[in-house]
Amino acid sequence: MHERTVHGSAQHEKTENGMTEDAMADEGTTTGAGATALLFPGQGTQRQGMGEPWRDTGAWALVPELSELTGADVEELLLKADDETLRRTDLAQIAVFAVSLMAYEEAVRIGLAGRDAVCAGHSLGEYTALVAAGALTYRDAARLVAARGSAMRDAAAARQGSMAVLVGVEEEAVAHAAEEARTAGDPVWVANLNCPGQVVVAGTEAGIEHAARLLEAPGVKRISIRVGGAFHSPLMVPAAERLEQALSAVEFASTTGCVVANVDAAAHREAADWPRLLVRQLVSPVQWERSVHTLLGPLGRRRLVEIGPGRTLTGLVRRISKDPEVVTFDSPDAAGDRRR
């Protein structure tokens, strides 16, 4: 029987028809005209003291086990770690996953979210999305997040790189500039397609500088991102190989809910899809804008709930479409905050 996430210490098991009791009770939030999708943020949303709002919630009971599963002192990370510590790739990912998981548990408890949901997660956030959709247990997700973060940190140390946001320029132009830079021996690739007019690139510092120089024009801006490596690019191939090994020890489940995958912006329900998709995610662009259109179009979602630290995805959704209702749940007292 597939293990589910917990409220406090109580586990939720699937019934014979493949749905949890919670999912049957909350089915109205994930089907029909007013359907909801859950969004989970990724690395970059971490900040000092990010766990403080959740200390008095029932979901805080997850913290000791998450420490055991990841090999990190999660309580220390969430309450005391400074910003410099939280910039370390492996620790940042554990911290963001822990807060997102706690926020999800509280969102289910108060009825803001259901289980076996329709979800999407940005990069790291895809792992929490898989938990919420019923494809992955939170224990396996925690182990994978720790393995992923460690592998990405080591890959970045072996081949230094960075990321930058290019604002005011479209994907085709950025892709062309990146190809020209690579031809000249300066590695850089498109890494995130977040919203109209905003493209993230990843590569060596020389590659990013080369591509940005080719794109110089009135209204075009380059914003550096303080990250530990060239994520979602071929410079992460060593990390992808290590993650593939970790994924071989994990069992996914086919789901009644679904997750819109970063790499192809398509909805996936089959267990067999995810090992391949998660490996590809480390070396491929995050198709976030297309993923949101999948949620709003083929999947018919009309209400998007961002769950976890920060409101980054809420801002991106507003730039992608004015149609959906957007709800953010970044602290226990943020329930019902509809920011249009």
Side-chain angles (χ1 to χ4, degrees):
M1 186 172 288
H2 184 58
E3 178 191 19
R4 304 292 292 136
T5 52
V6 298
H7 283 313
S9 60
Q11 292 186 353
H12 296 257
E13 306 289 354
K14 281 190 174 179
T15 59
E16 290 181 358
N17 66 5
M19 298 180 68
T20 64
E21 293 177 359
D22 291 296
M24 290 188 290
D26 295 325
E27 190 177 9
T29 68
T30 54
T31 60
T36 293
L38 309 182
L39 309 180
F40 297 95
Q43 186 176 346
T45 56
Q46 70 274 8
R47 63 187 185 277
Q48 186 171 2
M50 63 192 294
E52 191 65 42
W54 306 99
R55 288 185 72 178
D56 294 330
T57 68
W60 189 259
L62 288 165
V63 168
E65 187 177 13
L66 290 176
S67 295
E68 181 179 346
L69 292 166
T70 62
D73 187 337
V74 173
E75 182 169 343
E76 175 78 16
L77 284 179
L78 298 188
L79 299 180
K80 298 179 181 178
D82 58 21
D83 289 335
E84 189 63 34
T85 300
L86 290 171
R87 271 193 285 270
R88 209 178 94 176
T89 297
D90 53 341
L91 299 181
Q93 294 192 25
I94 291 169
V96 171
F97 172 76
V99 169
S100 296
L101 181 64
M102 287 190 290
Y104 168 66
E105 286 298 323
E106 286 300 306
V108 172
R109 185 184 65 80
I110 66 174
L112 184 63
R115 299 195 187 275
D116 292 341
V118 171
C119 305
H122 193 285
S123 188
L124 167 69
E126 199 157 75
Y127 289 78
T128 323
L130 286 165
V131 174
L136 194 60
T137 71
Y138 76 89
R139 292 185 174 93
D140 281 339
R143 294 186 187 101
L144 287 174
V145 165
R148 178 184 189 266
S150 176
M152 291 171 71
R153 185 184 181 215
D154 289 348
R159 184 78 186 275
Q160 291 195 349
S162 189
M163 303 179 78
V165 183
L166 299 175
V167 180
V169 64
E170 296 303 320
E171 174 190 357
E172 185 176 357
V174 177
H176 180 76
E179 183 178 7
E180 188 172 335
R182 292 196 304 274
T183 300
D186 294 329
V188 62
W189 296 266
V190 172
N192 294 351
L193 297 163
N194 285 331
C195 65
Q198 183 187 115
V199 180
V200 177
V201 293
T204 63
E205 290 286 359
I208 293 172
E209 180 63 36
H210 193 148
R213 188 167 60 250
L214 293 172
L215 293 164
E216 284 181 355
V220 175
K221 294 191 298 182
R222 168 191 166 188
I223 304 170
S224 296
I225 306 175
R226 296 191 66 182
V227 294
F231 305 143
H232 303 293
S233 83
L235 295 188
M236 288 290 110
V237 165
E241 291 171 348
R242 280 177 52 184
L243 179 62
E244 187 171 20
Q245 294 178 352
L247 286 163
S248 68
V250 170
E251 182 179 350
F252 290 84
S254 296
T255 60
T256 52
C258 67
V259 176
V260 177
N262 286 181
V263 298
D264 60 7
H268 293 267
R269 291 181 171 85
E270 297 302 318
D273 292 349
W274 284 108
R276 169 181 53 86
L277 291 167
L278 292 172
V279 170
R280 283 181 57 199
Q281 191 218 69
L282 284 189
V283 296
S284 304
V286 173
Q287 301 281 350
W288 187 253
E289 182 180 348
R290 287 177 56 206
S291 295
V292 171
H293 283 304
T294 298
L295 292 170
L296 301 180
L299 293 177
R301 305 296 105 173
R302 294 295 175 262
R303 183 173 185 255
L304 305 182
V305 182
E306 180 179 7
I307 298 176
R311 300 187 172 194
T312 298
L313 301 184
T314 297
L316 294 179
V317 169
R318 289 186 188 136
R319 295 176 185 175
I320 294 167
S321 175
K322 302 298 183 184
D323 293 337
E325 175 188 6
V326 185
V327 178
T328 57
F329 190 60
D330 58 351
S331 68
D333 52 359
D337 181 13
R338 293 165 174 80
R339 301 177 68 88
R340 294 297 302 255

